[in-house]
Amino acid sequence: MTTFAVLLSGRGTNMRAIASAVRSGRLRAQLSFVASDRADALGLRAAERMGFETAVLPYDAGRAAGEKALAALCTERRIEWIVLAGFMRLLSPAFVDAYRNRIVNIHPALLPSFPGTDGIGDAWRRGVKVTGVTVHLVDEGVDTGPILAQKAVPVKPGDEREDLERRIHRAEHFLYWRTLSELFSGRDLTARRR
Ligand code: GAR
């Protein structure tokens, strides 16, 4: 069975959606561990409660130390895919190269629009009428890798920013595990024709 790890920095609602899909058998893969650059990440507690193994990566000692620990864990657990779910660190070019086309990320906007740390806020402030969610492979840039899947999300008249946030997160929680499921089954999602 395909093995993967999830990396997060915050609440971990995407991790929870993915982990639930694993538990229920909708996503046929093994979630080997959940790791974070932050010891206080709520997502780590959630993963523990769900019975998954967790790890804190020593990013306090610098990115090299954090990535060294991550690489060691991945080798030890024979990780095939690394799934970023709100992991707010940029992986080094050397790490990305070592896991080329095996690191996936989710971003709360329709890339290439609104990359970066506040995709929802940036789209909201720009006044777009449609935004969305993107799942993509990670390359050396910030949210620039090949796109695997996207889902449009409308900004509705009368929306507060929180309404949009809620709608985006709902879309993420469905799109991510579905895309992972196709990816893990060996499908080339970067191809234009399938
Ligand atoms: C998600 O909305 C994810 O798309 C975003 O962080 C949030 C994490 O939420 N990631 C990025 O902005 C990456 N550039 P979660 O911790 O509840 O899953």
Side-chain angles (χ1 to χ4, degrees), residues 10 26 42 45 62 73 107 118 135-138 141 155 171 184:
R26 285 170 294 156
L42 290 178
R45 305 286 87 75
L73 270 173
H107 183 73
D118 191 15
V135 179
H136 66 96
L137 292 175
V138 171
V155 183
F184 294 171

PDB file of all heavy atoms in Angstrom, residues 10 26 42 45 62 73 107 118 135-138 141 155 171 184:
ATOM      1  N   GLY A  10      -0.472  24.244  11.493  1.00  0.00           N
ATOM      2  CA  GLY A  10      -1.573  24.905  12.208  1.00  0.00           C
ATOM      3  C   GLY A  10      -2.663  23.965  12.688  1.00  0.00           C
ATOM      4  O   GLY A  10      -2.389  22.924  13.279  1.00  0.00           O
ATOM      5  N   ARG A  26     -11.915   5.233   2.209  1.00  0.00           N
ATOM      6  CA  ARG A  26     -12.135   5.961   0.941  1.00  0.00           C
ATOM      7  C   ARG A  26     -10.799   6.276   0.286  1.00  0.00           C
ATOM      8  O   ARG A  26     -10.687   6.319  -0.927  1.00  0.00           O
ATOM      9  CB  ARG A  26     -12.892   7.268   1.211  1.00  0.00           C
ATOM     10  CG  ARG A  26     -14.363   7.092   1.503  1.00  0.00           C
ATOM     11  CD  ARG A  26     -14.971   8.392   2.005  1.00  0.00           C
ATOM     12  NE  ARG A  26     -14.407   8.741   3.311  1.00  0.00           N
ATOM     13  CZ  ARG A  26     -14.358   9.968   3.813  1.00  0.00           C
ATOM     14  NH1 ARG A  26     -14.800  10.987   3.120  1.00  0.00           N
ATOM     15  NH2 ARG A  26     -13.828  10.187   5.009  1.00  0.00           N
ATOM     16  N   LEU A  42      -2.051  22.788  16.637  1.00  0.00           N
ATOM     17  CA  LEU A  42      -3.264  22.067  17.055  1.00  0.00           C
ATOM     18  C   LEU A  42      -3.440  20.787  16.249  1.00  0.00           C
ATOM     19  O   LEU A  42      -3.970  19.782  16.738  1.00  0.00           O
ATOM     20  CB  LEU A  42      -4.496  22.957  16.866  1.00  0.00           C
ATOM     21  CG  LEU A  42      -4.615  24.150  17.819  1.00  0.00           C
ATOM     22  CD1 LEU A  42      -5.846  24.975  17.482  1.00  0.00           C
ATOM     23  CD2 LEU A  42      -4.670  23.665  19.266  1.00  0.00           C
ATOM     24  N   ARG A  45      -2.015  17.666  17.873  1.00  0.00           N
ATOM     25  CA  ARG A  45      -2.873  17.092  18.929  1.00  0.00           C
ATOM     26  C   ARG A  45      -3.999  16.282  18.289  1.00  0.00           C
ATOM     27  O   ARG A  45      -4.344  15.195  18.727  1.00  0.00           O
ATOM     28  CB  ARG A  45      -3.493  18.190  19.803  1.00  0.00           C
ATOM     29  CG  ARG A  45      -2.535  19.169  20.454  1.00  0.00           C
ATOM     30  CD  ARG A  45      -1.770  18.556  21.612  1.00  0.00           C
ATOM     31  NE  ARG A  45      -0.555  17.882  21.178  1.00  0.00           N
ATOM     32  CZ  ARG A  45       0.574  18.516  20.803  1.00  0.00           C
ATOM     33  NH1 ARG A  45       0.650  19.812  20.815  1.00  0.00           N
ATOM     34  NH2 ARG A  45       1.636  17.836  20.413  1.00  0.00           N
ATOM     35  N   GLY A  62      16.945  25.541  12.902  1.00  0.00           N
ATOM     36  CA  GLY A  62      17.198  25.909  11.507  1.00  0.00           C
ATOM     37  C   GLY A  62      16.561  24.927  10.533  1.00  0.00           C
ATOM     38  O   GLY A  62      16.223  23.797  10.900  1.00  0.00           O
ATOM     39  N   LEU A  73      13.154  10.402   9.000  1.00  0.00           N
ATOM     40  CA  LEU A  73      11.860   9.749   9.259  1.00  0.00           C
ATOM     41  C   LEU A  73      11.290   9.123   7.990  1.00  0.00           C
ATOM     42  O   LEU A  73      10.760   8.005   8.007  1.00  0.00           O
ATOM     43  CB  LEU A  73      10.854  10.778   9.776  1.00  0.00           C
ATOM     44  CG  LEU A  73      10.769  11.006  11.270  1.00  0.00           C
ATOM     45  CD1 LEU A  73       9.828  12.177  11.554  1.00  0.00           C
ATOM     46  CD2 LEU A  73      10.274   9.748  11.974  1.00  0.00           C
ATOM     47  N   HIS A 107      -3.454  24.660  -1.827  1.00  0.00           N
ATOM     48  CA  HIS A 107      -3.413  26.115  -1.677  1.00  0.00           C
ATOM     49  C   HIS A 107      -4.830  26.672  -1.812  1.00  0.00           C
ATOM     50  O   HIS A 107      -5.560  26.280  -2.727  1.00  0.00           O
ATOM     51  CB  HIS A 107      -2.490  26.723  -2.736  1.00  0.00           C
ATOM     52  CG  HIS A 107      -2.354  28.200  -2.571  1.00  0.00           C
ATOM     53  ND1 HIS A 107      -1.615  28.762  -1.542  1.00  0.00           N
ATOM     54  CD2 HIS A 107      -2.884  29.237  -3.259  1.00  0.00           C
ATOM     55  CE1 HIS A 107      -1.707  30.077  -1.613  1.00  0.00           C
ATOM     56  NE2 HIS A 107      -2.470  30.387  -2.652  1.00  0.00           N
ATOM     57  N   ASP A 118      -1.374  34.013   2.334  1.00  0.00           N
ATOM     58  CA  ASP A 118      -2.749  34.454   2.611  1.00  0.00           C
ATOM     59  C   ASP A 118      -3.592  34.467   1.327  1.00  0.00           C
ATOM     60  O   ASP A 118      -4.135  35.506   0.930  1.00  0.00           O
ATOM     61  CB  ASP A 118      -2.726  35.837   3.281  1.00  0.00           C
ATOM     62  CG  ASP A 118      -4.095  36.229   3.839  1.00  0.00           C
ATOM     63  OD1 ASP A 118      -4.974  35.345   3.969  1.00  0.00           O
ATOM     64  OD2 ASP A 118      -4.297  37.421   4.133  1.00  0.00           O
ATOM     65  N   VAL A 135      -4.654  21.903  -5.855  1.00  0.00           N
ATOM     66  CA  VAL A 135      -3.721  20.880  -5.371  1.00  0.00           C
ATOM     67  C   VAL A 135      -2.620  20.777  -6.420  1.00  0.00           C
ATOM     68  O   VAL A 135      -2.908  20.672  -7.619  1.00  0.00           O
ATOM     69  CB  VAL A 135      -4.420  19.515  -5.183  1.00  0.00           C
ATOM     70  CG1 VAL A 135      -3.410  18.467  -4.713  1.00  0.00           C
ATOM     71  CG2 VAL A 135      -5.565  19.626  -4.181  1.00  0.00           C
ATOM     72  N   HIS A 136      -1.369  20.864  -5.966  1.00  0.00           N
ATOM     73  CA  HIS A 136      -0.274  20.877  -6.945  1.00  0.00           C
ATOM     74  C   HIS A 136       0.958  20.160  -6.401  1.00  0.00           C
ATOM     75  O   HIS A 136       1.107  19.982  -5.187  1.00  0.00           O
ATOM     76  CB  HIS A 136       0.068  22.324  -7.322  1.00  0.00           C
ATOM     77  CG  HIS A 136       0.635  23.143  -6.191  1.00  0.00           C
ATOM     78  ND1 HIS A 136       1.983  23.320  -5.978  1.00  0.00           N
ATOM     79  CD2 HIS A 136       0.033  23.822  -5.185  1.00  0.00           C
ATOM     80  CE1 HIS A 136       2.174  24.073  -4.914  1.00  0.00           C
ATOM     81  NE2 HIS A 136       1.010  24.389  -4.403  1.00  0.00           N
ATOM     82  N   LEU A 137       1.838  19.787  -7.325  1.00  0.00           N
ATOM     83  CA  LEU A 137       3.127  19.222  -6.928  1.00  0.00           C
ATOM     84  C   LEU A 137       4.032  20.369  -6.505  1.00  0.00           C
ATOM     85  O   LEU A 137       3.909  21.482  -7.027  1.00  0.00           O
ATOM     86  CB  LEU A 137       3.765  18.474  -8.104  1.00  0.00           C
ATOM     87  CG  LEU A 137       3.064  17.194  -8.558  1.00  0.00           C
ATOM     88  CD1 LEU A 137       3.741  16.639  -9.821  1.00  0.00           C
ATOM     89  CD2 LEU A 137       3.083  16.143  -7.439  1.00  0.00           C
ATOM     90  N   VAL A 138       4.922  20.102  -5.577  1.00  0.00           N
ATOM     91  CA  VAL A 138       5.801  21.150  -5.056  1.00  0.00           C
ATOM     92  C   VAL A 138       7.100  21.186  -5.852  1.00  0.00           C
ATOM     93  O   VAL A 138       7.727  20.143  -6.083  1.00  0.00           O
ATOM     94  CB  VAL A 138       6.091  20.882  -3.559  1.00  0.00           C
ATOM     95  CG1 VAL A 138       7.177  21.824  -3.036  1.00  0.00           C
ATOM     96  CG2 VAL A 138       4.807  21.054  -2.747  1.00  0.00           C
ATOM     97  N   GLY A 141       9.697  26.795  -6.172  1.00  0.00           N
ATOM     98  CA  GLY A 141       9.079  28.108  -5.996  1.00  0.00           C
ATOM     99  C   GLY A 141       8.012  28.118  -4.912  1.00  0.00           C
ATOM    100  O   GLY A 141       7.777  27.114  -4.230  1.00  0.00           O
ATOM    101  N   VAL A 155     -17.527  33.688  -4.759  1.00  0.00           N
ATOM    102  CA  VAL A 155     -17.720  34.665  -3.684  1.00  0.00           C
ATOM    103  C   VAL A 155     -19.130  35.197  -3.895  1.00  0.00           C
ATOM    104  O   VAL A 155     -19.425  35.763  -4.937  1.00  0.00           O
ATOM    105  CB  VAL A 155     -16.698  35.821  -3.772  1.00  0.00           C
ATOM    106  CG1 VAL A 155     -16.876  36.774  -2.596  1.00  0.00           C
ATOM    107  CG2 VAL A 155     -15.273  35.277  -3.821  1.00  0.00           C
ATOM    108  N   ALA A 171     -14.322  22.981   0.365  1.00  0.00           N
ATOM    109  CA  ALA A 171     -13.838  22.503  -0.944  1.00  0.00           C
ATOM    110  C   ALA A 171     -12.502  21.783  -0.774  1.00  0.00           C
ATOM    111  O   ALA A 171     -12.265  20.722  -1.371  1.00  0.00           O
ATOM    112  CB  ALA A 171     -13.704  23.683  -1.909  1.00  0.00           C
ATOM    113  N   PHE A 184      -2.233   8.458  -5.964  1.00  0.00           N
ATOM    114  CA  PHE A 184      -1.653   7.241  -5.391  1.00  0.00           C
ATOM    115  C   PHE A 184      -1.956   6.017  -6.255  1.00  0.00           C
ATOM    116  O   PHE A 184      -1.279   5.004  -6.163  1.00  0.00           O
ATOM    117  CB  PHE A 184      -2.177   7.011  -3.968  1.00  0.00           C
ATOM    118  CG  PHE A 184      -1.746   8.053  -2.956  1.00  0.00           C
ATOM    119  CD1 PHE A 184      -2.301   8.070  -1.678  1.00  0.00           C
ATOM    120  CD2 PHE A 184      -0.796   9.014  -3.264  1.00  0.00           C
ATOM    121  CE1 PHE A 184      -1.912   9.019  -0.733  1.00  0.00           C
ATOM    122  CE2 PHE A 184      -0.401   9.971  -2.335  1.00  0.00           C
ATOM    123  CZ  PHE A 184      -0.974   9.969  -1.071  1.00  0.00           C
TER     124      PHE A 184
END
